[in-house]
Amino acid sequence: MKLSNHSAVPVYTISGSSTARPLPEWLARKRRRSLKNDAEYASRIELLQDFEFEEASQCIRVSDDGDWVMSTGTYKPQIHTHYLPHLSLSYARHTTSLNTTFLLLSSDYSKSIHLQSDRSLELHTPLGCHYTTRLPRYGRDLKYDRRSAETLVPAVGVNENGSGEVFRLNLELGRYMKSYEIDVGGDDLASAGGGALQGGIGTGAVNTAAIAEESHNLLALGTSLGTVEFWDPRARQRIALLPRAMQADIVDGRQEITALEFDRSGLGLATGSSTGLIHLYDLRSSKPLLKKDQGYGYPIQTLIYLAPGTSSRGQATEPKILSADKRIIKIWDPQTGSPWTSVEPALDLNCVAWCKDSGMLLTANEGRQQHSFFIPQLGPAPRWCSFLDNLVEEMAEDPNDPNAFTSQKVGEVYDNHKFLTTAQLESLNLSHLIGTTSLLRPYMHGYFVAQRLYEEAKLIADPFVWEEERNKRIKEKIDSERESRIRGNKKVAVKVNKRLAEKMLERQEKQERRRAKRVIEKGGDDEVVDNLETDQRPTEREPSGLLTDPRFAKLFQDPNFAIDETSKEFQMLNPSTRPTAEDQDKPERKLTAVEEEALDDRRNSDSDTTISSQNEANVKVKDGDRISSSSYKRSGHRPQQPQIRVSLSKAPHRMKDRYFGDRAERVKSARSSNGTVVGEREMTFAPERRGKGLKTIEKPERRKTEGRRSASGNVFRNI
């Protein structure tokens, strides 16, 4: 997409801009890597899929509903039909001969009639070629009279009466009707056009035709003599003759009429000659109102009255005329003839089609790719490519773009606009303005509406909106003043472990206050004081320091790292911390098998300790000189002087067994040390499950002799 014309009315070339330097297929594939650095290739836009022919395109037409585009081209002769809402090729169909021109008989693509170069007429439907008929002579143009359902084919050559003919094929009856006989002259008038039946050099012909469909349905026929004959299809006879505007020039020869077009009212007629001259007529006068020279001397191929419709009325307030030859397309004012804008493609043009009520022009031309041009000031982009409006705005508002045609800075385009969806437009009763004015600019799923229009429409739709807005702002101001009176707590923006983050934040704030106090005592630092005052404001703040360290980010963000304040480990480390309400609602975690075994062992050991302590408390001393050291120490006494006592045997030291393995290892070492049992009792343990705890097995006590001395130093042990 690039800007083709840098005048006051810019013209954008959407597709076909690279046809000035066509490349063969094999060379294009080889040079694709180098094309990535080509700015023109990088900014290309493929508006329609496969909008091209192998060699050249001959004719193009847009359907009345605006959803279909049909074009013909070569080589091989074929027909391409594009569905515009999908921006894609619907189907391609080959024909047996080259196409001269064609017409769409229906509002879509379903019915079309094609004038072929082999003197045949083909009727096509979506299924294919429906019917083919032959013509007596070669046809030059093709028109369709909708009121009588007749196809009119202006032909070359003369009949036996020396007159040119316009063949009439009635599609309702399915046969040819009597032809219109037109005065076209001939190269051999003495022999009544002898030798000119099939056409020869200088043979007279009816070159073109036009029908005023929207008004009086008058038929205009342009001849090779430069005259225009007007026929009434109802009476099937000629009612007027418009003579040639100028006499034949010796150098240029005779000026043939090659293009005709009625305006919407039916009173204006534009004629194009073979020498590039255009004349505007009023049917009430035989003298031309305006004469316009195309400038290149080529025959005029296309004349179109660009009358503004409902969608383009906001852009072009006055009708324009489009005239095209094979070299250039010009759009100019029909009142003064002053040029409005022009497009000069790199290749020769064969046909030009205008998408009604838009600024889009499609062409059939020599070369592989077909051209498409967009003129924003002529009208908006068609609904099937509405994104072009946004692209044009972006190009226009870019100050660094040499193709930009406006002096606006970036951001000034939509400063005074408000974005509204279609539903919001309907609520404001503005839906009828869609596509009718430039105040609504389509964008994505809605429209940019002028701010003044939006405010006026909103005031009309809801007269009390101003009062509601005023009350809303007063309420917001009162609420903000109320909030300022209440000193809120500082918040920490973390997901998990909020209490830990608050504690760390409070500790950090205390350090900052101490640091600020020291700075003030040393002389005062305004920056530190300001930061201190800022921290004391009741605003929500982000955590800083350790809380923002990326190494510990998951500790305050990931739920897997959340601290369970109801766990026993946490309560043992933090006995003064009370769990929050959320943690209390959580179900208590069950004990594992290892924890249950440890708990049972702890209970058993506690019970044994209790029994032994009761026994030792009830011991009575027989001899004042013999008191056990354990009971003496437990009573709270301390010896007056250190004493050393030696016993013959090791007194068993009672230890608390936390695991079964510790107890088994200690018993094993006791057995293997001496081979004899030390003490009064021998204990063995066998691994046996009893519920969730371990069952201890005691062996029967051995019988002792009275003469055997006790190994223990405590004589009261066995009482």
Side-chain angles (χ1 to χ4, degrees), residues 551-689:
R551 297 174 296 176
F552 304 98
K554 290 186 178 181
L555 181 61
F556 303 101
Q557 301 296 331
D558 193 349
N560 295 328
F561 291 90
I563 298 175
D564 186 8
E565 297 184 358
T566 60
S567 62
K568 296 183 179 180
E569 292 81 358
F570 181 82
Q571 293 179 358
M572 292 175 65
L573 295 175
N574 303 275
S576 61
T577 303
R578 298 181 61 185
T580 59
E582 297 179 358
D583 296 332
Q584 291 178 355
D585 295 339
K586 295 181 181 179
E588 185 177 358
R589 183 177 64 85
K590 296 182 179 180
L591 299 177
T592 61
V594 177
E595 293 175 348
E596 290 179 353
E597 290 180 2
L599 182 61
D600 293 340
D601 294 342
R602 190 182 301 113
R603 290 174 180 174
N604 295 334
S605 61
D606 293 343
S607 61
D608 295 342
T609 305
T610 304
I611 296 172
S612 61
S613 61
Q614 291 177 358
N615 294 334
E616 292 175 359
N618 298 328
V619 172
K620 295 182 180 179
V621 181
K622 290 184 178 180
D623 190 358
D625 296 335
R626 293 182 61 88
I627 299 176
S628 64
S629 60
S630 60
S631 61
Y632 183 78
K633 291 180 181 180
R634 200 163 26 249
S635 62
H637 297 281
R638 293 290 184 268
Q640 298 294 333
Q641 55 184 349
Q643 297 179 2
I644 299 176
R645 293 185 180 184
V646 179
S647 61
L648 298 177
S649 63
K650 296 182 180 179
H653 180 65
R654 192 174 188 85
M655 296 181 63
K656 183 178 179 181
D657 298 327
R658 298 185 62 185
Y659 301 98
F660 173 75
D662 297 341
R663 184 176 299 180
E665 187 70 17
R666 189 169 59 255
V667 172
K668 182 178 180 181
S669 60
R671 287 182 178 180
S672 60
S673 61
N674 196 5
T676 59
V677 179
V678 179
E680 302 174 353
R681 185 177 299 175
E682 182 180 357
M683 305 292 291
T684 59
F685 300 88
E688 179 179 354
R689 285 189 175 276

Side-chain angles (χ1 to χ4, degrees), residues 137-141 153-159 162-167 180-189 193 196-209 220-229 241 244 254-260 272 274:
R137 285 189 293 277
Y138 293 98
R140 289 288 184 87
D141 199 4
V153 185
V156 63
V158 295
N159 57 8
S163 301
E165 288 185 301
V166 177
F167 299 110
Y180 295 144
E181 294 185 355
I182 311 299
D183 184 11
V184 297
D187 59 345
D188 190 1
L189 295 178
L197 293 179
Q198 294 298 325
I201 299 176
T203 303
V206 183
N207 294 326
T208 184
L221 302 171
T223 66
S224 57
L225 297 178
T227 60
V228 179
E229 293 189 8
L241 175 65
R244 68 183 67 176
R254 61 182 181 181
Q255 295 184 1
E256 300 181 4
I257 301 297
T258 57
L260 288 173
S274 58

Side-chain angles (χ1 to χ4, degrees), residues 415-665:
D415 282 349
N416 298 324
H417 288 73
K418 184 176 179 63
F419 181 79
L420 297 177
T421 61
T422 306
Q424 292 174 341
L425 286 176
E426 293 178 355
S427 63
L428 296 176
N429 298 325
L430 296 178
S431 58
H432 64 283
L433 297 178
I434 297 177
T436 61
T437 177
S438 60
L439 297 177
L440 300 183
R441 301 184 182 184
Y443 182 77
M444 295 179 66
H445 63 285
Y447 299 86
F448 276 106
V449 184
Q451 187 67 27
R452 290 186 58 188
L453 177 62
Y454 168 74
E455 293 175 356
E456 294 178 1
K458 191 173 182 180
L459 185 60
I460 295 174
D462 190 0
F464 303 101
V465 65
W466 183 84
E467 189 68 24
E468 294 177 358
E469 184 67 21
R470 179 175 177 271
N471 296 335
K472 181 180 178 182
R473 292 188 179 182
I474 292 174
K475 184 178 179 181
E476 291 177 354
K477 188 175 181 180
I478 294 174
D479 294 341
S480 62
E481 292 178 354
R482 288 177 178 174
E483 291 177 358
S484 63
R485 299 193 194 104
I486 303 173
R487 187 178 182 86
N489 297 327
K490 296 180 180 179
K491 299 180 181 179
V492 181
V494 295
K495 295 183 179 179
V496 295
N497 300 332
K498 186 175 181 181
R499 177 177 290 184
L500 176 61
E502 291 177 352
K503 186 183 297 184
M504 296 174 64
L505 182 61
E506 185 178 357
R507 188 181 305 167
Q508 183 179 354
E509 289 176 353
K510 289 181 180 179
Q511 295 177 358
E512 291 177 358
R513 291 192 185 98
R514 293 195 205 100
R515 190 184 305 111
K517 188 175 181 180
R518 288 195 300 268
V519 172
I520 293 174
E521 290 176 354
K522 291 181 180 181
D525 190 351
D526 296 337
E527 296 181 359
V528 177
V529 176
D530 294 340
N531 295 335
L532 181 62
E533 294 178 355
T534 304
D535 295 340
Q536 292 177 354
R537 294 177 184 175
T539 57
E540 182 175 350
R541 57 178 292 178
E542 293 292 333
S544 59
L546 183 63
L547 302 181
T548 57
D549 194 332
R551 297 174 296 176
F552 304 98
K554 290 186 178 181
L555 181 61
F556 303 101
Q557 301 296 331
D558 193 349
N560 295 328
F561 291 90
I563 298 175
D564 186 8
E565 297 184 358
T566 60
S567 62
K568 296 183 179 180
E569 292 81 358
F570 181 82
Q571 293 179 358
M572 292 175 65
L573 295 175
N574 303 275
S576 61
T577 303
R578 298 181 61 185
T580 59
E582 297 179 358
D583 296 332
Q584 291 178 355
D585 295 339
K586 295 181 181 179
E588 185 177 358
R589 183 177 64 85
K590 296 182 179 180
L591 299 177
T592 61
V594 177
E595 293 175 348
E596 290 179 353
E597 290 180 2
L599 182 61
D600 293 340
D601 294 342
R602 190 182 301 113
R603 290 174 180 174
N604 295 334
S605 61
D606 293 343
S607 61
D608 295 342
T609 305
T610 304
I611 296 172
S612 61
S613 61
Q614 291 177 358
N615 294 334
E616 292 175 359
N618 298 328
V619 172
K620 295 182 180 179
V621 181
K622 290 184 178 180
D623 190 358
D625 296 335
R626 293 182 61 88
I627 299 176
S628 64
S629 60
S630 60
S631 61
Y632 183 78
K633 291 180 181 180
R634 200 163 26 249
S635 62
H637 297 281
R638 293 290 184 268
Q640 298 294 333
Q641 55 184 349
Q643 297 179 2
I644 299 176
R645 293 185 180 184
V646 179
S647 61
L648 298 177
S649 63
K650 296 182 180 179
H653 180 65
R654 192 174 188 85
M655 296 181 63
K656 183 178 179 181
D657 298 327
R658 298 185 62 185
Y659 301 98
F660 173 75
D662 297 341
R663 184 176 299 180
E665 187 70 17

